[in-house]
Amino acid sequence: MTNPTETTAAAAAAGTPLAEPLLEIDNVTMQFGGVVALKEAAITVNTGEIFALIGPNGAGKTTVFNVVTGVYRPTSGQVRFAGRRIDGMKRFQVTKGGVARTFQNIRLFHNMSALENVMVGADAHHRTGAVGAVLNLPWHRREERGGRELARELLDFVGIGRRSSDTAKNLPYGDQRRLEIARALATDPKILLLDEPAAGMNPAEKESLQDLIRKIRDSGRTVLLIEHDMGLVMHISDRVAVLDFGQLIAEGTPAVVQRNPAVIEAYLGASDAS
């Protein structure tokens, strides 16, 4: 058996960057009555990588997101983020701690402008409450100005700066996806969870989305995504984990995972690739 200490020392001696765990899902089980949505799932996402979570419909992927972000408290197991246990925390606490997400079904404030939607995300770190807003106190005005500037920067970052004054419901579908990403980024996350970001996009939009996801990673953030488009997953991911019926059946680089017989069987219902 390989000694982890020796492996770490060898990697350091060779000048290989050591993986630094950021999000650790440690033997998590999530049960709803008699239904087991996750069974002893163990996944580690390292700082600075693009990590994809894939699997057939109903495999438990969104349940992972809901456990990580505080929507569900796991039946058993732990979730640690940056070394701190976060399972059982409230959703706003998880967000303040550096975890943000988007949703499979886009959730925007449809009657607000694109700029206003992103400013809502920036509010997650504002210190002034309702009283400061009502009284229009100086520090509230400073935070409001800062939130507006940040929102404009993020709209430019995701490529829809020209749409800042447009009402969210009037944006094209692909731009609505980008707007939701900008709003999530406004919370200043260390990790961004993207739930099927390419759903409903045409090939050109998917290509542009890949560039944006890489840009987010290159800006110093870690990305965890759920995605059904295998072309996108295999092109963009550093590592991939595969769930089937709530259990982890494979994990590794895209090239290794797509050759795994268990993965082929889960997707195709056959044990060989022919």
Side-chain angles (χ1 to χ4, degrees), residues 216-238:
I216 292 168
R217 188 269 313 278
D218 293 345
S219 73
R221 307 184 195 278
T222 301
V223 177
L224 171 61
L225 75 148
I226 294 171
E227 186 51 63
H228 282 291
D229 188 309
M230 290 300 99
L232 186 149
V233 167
M234 297 305 167
H235 276 98
I236 201 171
S237 305
D238 298 303

Tab-separated table of all heavy atoms in Angstrom, residues 216-238:
chain	number	residue	atom	x	y	z
A	216	ILE	N	-13.763	32.031	-14.841
A	216	ILE	CA	-14.083	32.056	-13.409
A	216	ILE	C	-13.017	31.322	-12.627
A	216	ILE	O	-12.537	31.806	-11.592
A	216	ILE	CB	-15.478	31.436	-13.168
A	216	ILE	CG1	-16.567	32.336	-13.758
A	216	ILE	CG2	-15.733	31.222	-11.667
A	216	ILE	CD1	-17.929	31.694	-13.827
A	217	ARG	N	-12.626	30.155	-13.106
A	217	ARG	CA	-11.556	29.397	-12.437
A	217	ARG	C	-10.247	30.184	-12.442
A	217	ARG	O	-9.551	30.252	-11.420
A	217	ARG	CB	-11.394	28.046	-13.137
A	217	ARG	CG	-10.445	27.048	-12.442
A	217	ARG	CD	-9.002	27.152	-12.921
A	217	ARG	NE	-8.894	27.198	-14.355
A	217	ARG	CZ	-8.915	26.105	-15.147
A	217	ARG	NH1	-9.048	24.900	-14.627
A	217	ARG	NH2	-8.770	26.228	-16.462
A	218	ASP	N	-9.937	30.805	-13.552
A	218	ASP	CA	-8.682	31.551	-13.660
A	218	ASP	C	-8.693	32.815	-12.799
A	218	ASP	O	-7.634	33.373	-12.504
A	218	ASP	CB	-8.411	31.922	-15.125
A	218	ASP	CG	-8.121	30.696	-15.984
A	218	ASP	OD1	-7.845	29.617	-15.413
A	218	ASP	OD2	-8.200	30.808	-17.222
A	219	SER	N	-9.876	33.256	-12.382
A	219	SER	CA	-9.967	34.431	-11.505
A	219	SER	C	-9.690	34.071	-10.048
A	219	SER	O	-9.721	34.940	-9.184
A	219	SER	CB	-11.344	35.086	-11.628
A	219	SER	OG	-12.348	34.312	-10.982
A	220	GLY	N	-9.446	32.783	-9.791
A	220	GLY	CA	-9.078	32.358	-8.439
A	220	GLY	C	-10.167	31.611	-7.692
A	220	GLY	O	-10.037	31.369	-6.492
A	221	ARG	N	-11.224	31.224	-8.402
A	221	ARG	CA	-12.313	30.501	-7.755
A	221	ARG	C	-12.321	29.037	-8.193
A	221	ARG	O	-11.798	28.687	-9.243
A	221	ARG	CB	-13.662	31.144	-8.075
A	221	ARG	CG	-13.693	32.634	-7.757
A	221	ARG	CD	-15.057	33.241	-7.978
A	221	ARG	NE	-14.984	34.703	-8.022
A	221	ARG	CZ	-14.955	35.474	-6.970
A	221	ARG	NH1	-14.958	34.943	-5.764
A	221	ARG	NH2	-14.892	36.797	-7.088
A	222	THR	N	-12.928	28.225	-7.357
A	222	THR	CA	-13.097	26.808	-7.654
A	222	THR	C	-14.509	26.613	-8.190
A	222	THR	O	-15.439	27.300	-7.776
A	222	THR	CB	-12.874	25.972	-6.373
A	222	THR	OG1	-11.558	26.224	-5.889
A	222	THR	CG2	-13.048	24.491	-6.630
A	223	VAL	N	-14.661	25.680	-9.133
A	223	VAL	CA	-15.967	25.449	-9.756
A	223	VAL	C	-16.364	23.981	-9.595
A	223	VAL	O	-15.581	23.078	-9.907
A	223	VAL	CB	-15.952	25.814	-11.256
A	223	VAL	CG1	-17.316	25.497	-11.894
A	223	VAL	CG2	-15.604	27.285	-11.456
A	224	LEU	N	-17.579	23.769	-9.093
A	224	LEU	CA	-18.186	22.445	-9.051
A	224	LEU	C	-19.455	22.517	-9.882
A	224	LEU	O	-20.317	23.353	-9.622
A	224	LEU	CB	-18.518	22.048	-7.602
A	224	LEU	CG	-19.360	20.778	-7.387
A	224	LEU	CD1	-18.648	19.552	-7.946
A	224	LEU	CD2	-19.678	20.596	-5.906
A	225	LEU	N	-19.551	21.661	-10.914
A	225	LEU	CA	-20.723	21.747	-11.760
A	225	LEU	C	-21.403	20.406	-11.962
A	225	LEU	O	-20.744	19.361	-11.981
A	225	LEU	CB	-20.391	22.364	-13.122
A	225	LEU	CG	-19.647	21.538	-14.159
A	225	LEU	CD1	-20.078	21.949	-15.552
A	225	LEU	CD2	-18.141	21.750	-14.032
A	226	ILE	N	-22.723	20.468	-12.063
A	226	ILE	CA	-23.545	19.361	-12.528
A	226	ILE	C	-23.857	19.647	-13.986
A	226	ILE	O	-24.273	20.755	-14.330
A	226	ILE	CB	-24.863	19.274	-11.733
A	226	ILE	CG1	-24.612	18.922	-10.272
A	226	ILE	CG2	-25.809	18.260	-12.376
A	226	ILE	CD1	-25.859	19.048	-9.397
A	227	GLU	N	-23.661	18.657	-14.840
A	227	GLU	CA	-23.913	18.909	-16.255
A	227	GLU	C	-24.205	17.596	-16.981
A	227	GLU	O	-23.550	16.583	-16.730
A	227	GLU	CB	-22.708	19.617	-16.885
A	227	GLU	CG	-22.905	20.048	-18.320
A	227	GLU	CD	-24.177	20.838	-18.527
A	227	GLU	OE1	-24.310	21.940	-17.950
A	227	GLU	OE2	-25.058	20.351	-19.255
A	228	HIS	N	-25.183	17.636	-17.882
A	228	HIS	CA	-25.540	16.465	-18.685
A	228	HIS	C	-24.824	16.455	-20.032
A	228	HIS	O	-24.767	15.406	-20.681
A	228	HIS	CB	-27.053	16.416	-18.912
A	228	HIS	CG	-27.810	15.901	-17.727
A	228	HIS	ND1	-27.739	14.592	-17.297
A	228	HIS	CD2	-28.654	16.518	-16.871
A	228	HIS	CE1	-28.517	14.419	-16.238
A	228	HIS	NE2	-29.070	15.580	-15.949
A	229	ASP	N	-24.314	17.595	-20.462
A	229	ASP	CA	-23.623	17.660	-21.746
A	229	ASP	C	-22.219	17.079	-21.574
A	229	ASP	O	-21.313	17.727	-21.051
A	229	ASP	CB	-23.547	19.112	-22.228
A	229	ASP	CG	-23.003	19.237	-23.642
A	229	ASP	OD1	-21.937	18.656	-23.925
A	229	ASP	OD2	-23.645	19.922	-24.461
A	230	MET	N	-22.044	15.842	-22.027
A	230	MET	CA	-20.778	15.150	-21.802
A	230	MET	C	-19.626	15.773	-22.594
A	230	MET	O	-18.473	15.730	-22.153
A	230	MET	CB	-20.906	13.664	-22.150
A	230	MET	CG	-21.759	12.872	-21.179
A	230	MET	SD	-21.110	12.906	-19.485
A	230	MET	CE	-22.138	14.190	-18.746
A	231	GLY	N	-19.932	16.362	-23.727
A	231	GLY	CA	-18.882	17.039	-24.480
A	231	GLY	C	-18.291	18.180	-23.676
A	231	GLY	O	-17.068	18.334	-23.581
A	232	LEU	N	-19.155	18.978	-23.075
A	232	LEU	CA	-18.698	20.096	-22.246
A	232	LEU	C	-17.919	19.583	-21.041
A	232	LEU	O	-16.837	20.084	-20.723
A	232	LEU	CB	-19.894	20.938	-21.807
A	232	LEU	CG	-19.618	22.236	-21.047
A	232	LEU	CD1	-20.708	23.267	-21.337
A	232	LEU	CD2	-19.514	22.021	-19.542
A	233	VAL	N	-18.466	18.576	-20.365
A	233	VAL	CA	-17.816	18.030	-19.168
A	233	VAL	C	-16.415	17.536	-19.482
A	233	VAL	O	-15.453	17.839	-18.762
A	233	VAL	CB	-18.672	16.888	-18.567
A	233	VAL	CG1	-17.872	16.096	-17.529
A	233	VAL	CG2	-19.938	17.442	-17.936
A	234	MET	N	-16.291	16.757	-20.540
A	234	MET	CA	-14.997	16.142	-20.846
A	234	MET	C	-13.975	17.162	-21.339
A	234	MET	O	-12.772	16.970	-21.187
A	234	MET	CB	-15.177	15.018	-21.876
A	234	MET	CG	-16.045	13.876	-21.371
A	234	MET	SD	-15.453	13.168	-19.794
A	234	MET	CE	-16.862	12.184	-19.293
A	235	HIS	N	-14.445	18.271	-21.914
A	235	HIS	CA	-13.517	19.291	-22.399
A	235	HIS	C	-13.015	20.208	-21.285
A	235	HIS	O	-11.887	20.694	-21.339
A	235	HIS	CB	-14.188	20.153	-23.488
A	235	HIS	CG	-14.118	19.564	-24.848
A	235	HIS	ND1	-15.149	18.854	-25.417
A	235	HIS	CD2	-13.118	19.558	-25.764
A	235	HIS	CE1	-14.797	18.439	-26.614
A	235	HIS	NE2	-13.577	18.855	-26.853
A	236	ILE	N	-13.854	20.436	-20.285
A	236	ILE	CA	-13.554	21.516	-19.352
A	236	ILE	C	-13.092	21.051	-17.981
A	236	ILE	O	-12.443	21.791	-17.242
A	236	ILE	CB	-14.802	22.425	-19.200
A	236	ILE	CG1	-14.395	23.799	-18.688
A	236	ILE	CG2	-15.863	21.790	-18.299
A	236	ILE	CD1	-15.503	24.807	-18.724
A	237	SER	N	-13.405	19.820	-17.589
A	237	SER	CA	-13.198	19.387	-16.209
A	237	SER	C	-11.775	18.897	-15.949
A	237	SER	O	-11.168	18.239	-16.790
A	237	SER	CB	-14.172	18.257	-15.860
A	237	SER	OG	-15.497	18.645	-16.108
A	238	ASP	N	-11.284	19.207	-14.757
A	238	ASP	CA	-10.032	18.622	-14.297
A	238	ASP	C	-10.274	17.213	-13.765
A	238	ASP	O	-9.497	16.302	-14.008
A	238	ASP	CB	-9.412	19.483	-13.195
A	238	ASP	CG	-9.057	20.871	-13.686
A	238	ASP	OD1	-8.283	20.961	-14.657
A	238	ASP	OD2	-9.553	21.855	-13.125
